[in-house]
Amino acid sequence: MADELDIPESHPRYESLLTRHRIEAGVEKGITSKQGLIAEGRGEAFDYLLGERTLESAETAERVAAAHLLLADRPVLSVNGNVAALVPGEIGELAAATGAEIEVNLFNRTDERMAAIASHLREHGAGEVKGLDADGRIPGLEHERAKVDADGIESADVVLVPLEDGDRAEALGEMGKTEIVIDLNPLSRSAQVAAVPIVDNVLRAVPNITAHARELDEESDATLEAIIAEFDPNAALQAAEQAIRSGDLK
Ligand code: ATP
């Protein structure tokens, strides 16, 4: 990671510069859309307001996310162009730690970008990558945006959707899936409809969920269920809003 940028890791804006650099490289490589650049800008603004750190409430949500993924029968990690650019290797590690499938799922879907993202993920160590069959549908969405794999997101019980757009997050929730959303904006519709909203940068959140999954791996179902039962999504969102209001930047 460190040699990607000609800037020391001690630089106060290191993470944000690394994020910009990866997104820019993602656009050049054909995996991130121009819309993805706009999403990145919005995320960066919220990360700044949150002090560019993982809040305690987000850390808790990351642990709950790990418990959900470990308990799930068919967990799926949904990957879009920004996620593929920012955390390609980390997504593979989370999949390995939880037994989840990886599925490419794009807002602006083109065959070229689907294929480019799948091979980018494989170059970074992912095994099978779903999403290319597109033989399933999310009800209530228009054609292109509804496409998913029948044996992937369509039949998943728990789905991790980092940086998902609000419409699709709502539609997935209506399908009865347990949704874990990673979004730096606690006011976004995606975060609001999630069973587990994680208000944190995907760069920090994905490795944190993996670390929790490894630590919880040997725990009983009852312990994992207890971790989940204690979690209150509204309290997590409120804690993030409160952190922004407090203006306590790093
Ligand atoms: P809504 O969910 O309210 O409908 P939207 O669909 O308009 O929002 P987009 O702009 O499509 O939202 O999605 C970008 C979202 O992703 C923003 O809420 C932004 O805060 C978040 N985001 C961007 N970069 C990151 C990142 N690195 N980590 C986590 N979240 C991010």
Side-chain angles (χ1 to χ4, degrees):
M1 264 218 217
D3 55 359
E4 278 183 5
L5 273 181
D6 205 9
I7 294 168
E9 283 188 54
S10 58
H11 188 288
R13 293 262 97 76
Y14 177 78
E15 225 178 59
S16 116
L17 294 170
L18 177 68
T19 304
R20 286 185 194 181
H21 174 80
R22 287 194 183 173
I23 291 285
E24 215 182 313
V27 173
E28 273 161 23
K29 222 180 155 184
I31 59 180
T32 307
S33 68
K34 287 183 188 160
Q35 292 282 331
L37 286 170
I38 296 167
E40 156 60 23
R42 195 188 292 192
E44 201 175 303
F46 277 101
D47 207 12
Y48 180 85
L49 293 171
L50 287 161
E52 294 174 358
R53 66 199 149 144
T54 299
L55 301 174
E56 212 180 296
S57 52
E59 188 77 51
T60 302
E62 284 154 4
R63 190 155 182 265
V64 173
H68 267 298
L69 291 168
L70 289 171
L71 266 181
D73 290 327
R74 300 182 69 101
V76 175
L77 314 179
S78 170
V79 175
N80 67 14
N82 285 48
V83 174
L86 291 174
V87 283
E90 292 84 346
I91 283 286
E93 284 175 27
L94 179 56
T98 58
E101 302 277 4
I102 299 173
E103 177 160 342
V104 184
N105 185 18
L106 301 182
F107 189 77
N108 298 303
R109 184 187 175 103
T110 66
D111 288 344
E112 293 72 30
R113 220 148 67 73
M114 294 293 294
I117 291 174
S119 53
H120 184 70
L121 291 168
R122 279 192 226 102
E123 275 164 29
H124 284 82
E128 193 196 352
V129 178
K130 292 187 182 293
L132 304 166
D133 293 343
D135 51 354
R137 293 290 177 270
I138 305 173
L141 294 180
E142 48 93 359
H143 190 64
E144 279 308 297
R145 247 158 243 172
K147 285 183 177 173
V148 285
D149 274 14
D151 64 350
I153 288 177
E154 188 176 72
S155 49
D157 51 351
V158 174
V159 195
L160 174 78
V161 280
L163 285 64
E164 183 55 279
D165 96 285
D167 281 348
R168 223 171 13 190
E170 268 177 2
L172 282 170
E174 276 162 26
M175 285 176 88
K177 303 192 187 303
T178 298
E179 263 186 291
I180 304 163
V181 164
I182 303 172
D183 194 320
L184 280 158
N185 177 3
L187 302 173
S188 83
R189 276 185 300 151
S190 315
Q192 303 271 343
V193 299
V196 185
I198 299 174
V199 183
D200 198 6
N201 196 320
V202 76
L203 222 48
R204 298 186 294 268
V206 172
N208 278 352
I209 302 171
T210 304
H212 285 293
R214 287 182 181 143
E215 182 219 310
L216 294 172
D217 192 39
E218 300 294 313
E219 297 293 349
S220 66
D221 285 4
T223 303
L224 298 176
E225 280 157 10
I227 291 170
I228 290 168
E230 269 175 39
F231 182 71
D232 176 355
N234 290 320
L237 293 172
Q238 273 168 22
E241 282 180 42
Q242 191 50 44
I244 291 174
R245 281 177 211 277
S246 76
D248 175 25
L249 303 182
K250 222 171 17 183

